[in-house]
Amino acid sequence: MSRDAPMPTLDAAAEILKLDAGGPDIFIGAGGANNHLGSVFGGRLLAQSLLAAMKTVDALPASSLHAYFLAPGLTGLPLEYRVMRLRDSRRFANRQVTALQDGQPIFALTCEFHAPEDGFFHQVPVPAVPPPEDVAPIQHFVRERAEELDVAAIRNFTEALPIELRPVSPETYFMQRPDRPERLFWFRQPTAADIEDPRLQQCLLAFGSDYWLAGTAAIPHFFPTNSDRFMITSLDHSIWFHRPACAGEWLLHHTFSPAAGDGLGLAMGRIFDRQGRLVASTAQESLLRRLARSSDC
C-alpha cells in the first residue's frame, strides 16, 4: 500500500451516520466495530447523539456540544438516543440527548445550534508542521519501529483505527517522556469525502475529535495508550464549532494538556483545516490510572 493511499478505518461514514426512528424524538443506532478497548468508541456516541439532536432541529448548524461518558457501551447492543427539546428561537436551538443501552443511560450530551450572523473575527495561528503527505500513517510508523516500541503500541496502532491518523514527530511520545504534554496529528475520515451536508460533516468531525485527545495528558508520565499497566478513560468531551469543515479532508489536531492531578487529566485541542483556518476547539477530561500487574504484586 502506498504511503499516500487512504488507510482503512473501522467504520464507514455512512454507517456512523445511520440512525433509525424509534418513536417521537427517539433514534436507534448500532454500537459499531469492535476495537482494542472492547467498548463503544466515544466518538460514535458524540456523532450519533449530535445527529439525533439535528434530526429535531431544522437547518441550523451546531455551535457547541458538551457531553459526559457515564458507563461503557457494548458494541454488540443497539444504542437508543432520546432527545429533549430545551429551546427553539429564531436564531438558537438547544437539545439534550441521552444515550441508553438495555434501558440504562451510558452517555449524556447537551448541544446548541445557532444561525450564523455577522460578527467579530479572530483566531490563533496554525502551528508550523509538515503537510500530511510528508507524514507517515501511524500504522506504518509502528510497523517500521516495532522492535523499539511498547507492546501496547503494536497491539493498539497496527491495524485499522476509527480514523485515519498521521502523527507529527511520533518519536517524541512513542519513545520518550517529554516534559511538554503536547502532540499534533493530521486526521481524516476518508469515506466522508462525498458527504455534502455540512451538518453531517459536523457529526463526523465530532466522531474524529475524540480520538487521541485524552492521552495527551499522560505524555509526561506514561506511554499514552491503554495497556495492562495503564488506563485512560474519557469522562467528558466538549466541542466548539467555529466554521464548516470536511471530515473527509485532512485536518490538523493540535492537542495539549494544561493540567493533571488527583487521577484526572485535562486535554484541550484546536482543529485546523489545510488552509490554516481554525474549525473547532476541543476539551476532554479523563481518568488516568496506573495499573498493578500480577507480577508486581
Side-chain angles (χ1 to χ4, degrees), residues 223-239:
F223 181 60
T225 191
N226 281 286
S227 67
D228 62 349
R229 294 181 293 159
F230 183 67
M231 181 181 73
I232 307 173
T233 301
S234 300
L235 301 175
D236 60 31
H237 192 97
S238 295
I239 308 173

Side-chain angles (χ1 to χ4, degrees), residues 130-234:
E133 294 80 12
D134 293 343
V135 180
I138 190 170
Q139 292 92 337
H140 290 198
F141 172 81
V142 170
R143 291 168 186 165
E144 292 168 2
R145 307 291 292 273
E147 294 183 357
E148 307 168 66
L149 297 179
D150 189 296
V151 65
I154 301 169
R155 183 190 67 222
N156 296 349
F157 303 118
T158 300
E159 305 300 332
L161 304 173
I163 57 174
E164 185 176 358
L165 188 149
R166 299 189 177 195
V168 177
S169 303
E171 298 88 350
T172 305
Y173 33 87
F174 271 87
M175 307 169 77
Q176 305 170 23
R177 295 277 63 81
D179 293 334
R180 186 176 178 84
E182 176 184 36
R183 62 183 172 189
L184 297 100
F185 54 91
W186 292 100
F187 75 97
R188 67 179 176 182
Q189 182 61 255
T191 54
D194 296 330
I195 294 175
E196 296 182 359
D197 187 334
R199 297 208 308 170
L200 295 183
Q201 290 289 350
Q202 287 188 305
C203 295
L204 294 169
L205 178 60
F207 179 90
S209 74
D210 185 52
Y211 198 72
W212 256 39
L213 177 57
T216 305
I219 286 176
H221 313 290
F222 217 90
F223 181 60
T225 191
N226 281 286
S227 67
D228 62 349
R229 294 181 293 159
F230 183 67
M231 181 181 73
I232 307 173
T233 301
S234 300

Side-chain angles (χ1 to χ4, degrees), residues 16 35 37 56 68 72 83-84 118 127 150-151 167 182 191 231 265 272 285:
I16 297 166
N35 53 60
L37 297 177
T56 71
Y68 285 90
V83 182
M84 180 179 293
D118 292 337
D150 189 296
V151 65
E182 176 184 36
T191 54
M231 181 181 73
F272 299 86
E285 188 173 55

Side-chain angles (χ1 to χ4, degrees), residues 251-268:
L251 299 167
L252 178 69
H253 204 167
H254 175 205
T255 68
F256 56 96
S257 175
D262 298 327
L264 303 176
L266 176 63
M268 307 184 78

Side-chain angles (χ1 to χ4, degrees), residues 60-61 87-93 112-118:
L60 297 181
R87 173 173 68 161
D88 286 289
S89 66
R90 187 172 63 87
R91 303 201 72 92
F92 286 93
E112 183 168 84
F113 300 84
H114 172 237
E117 54 188 287
D118 292 337

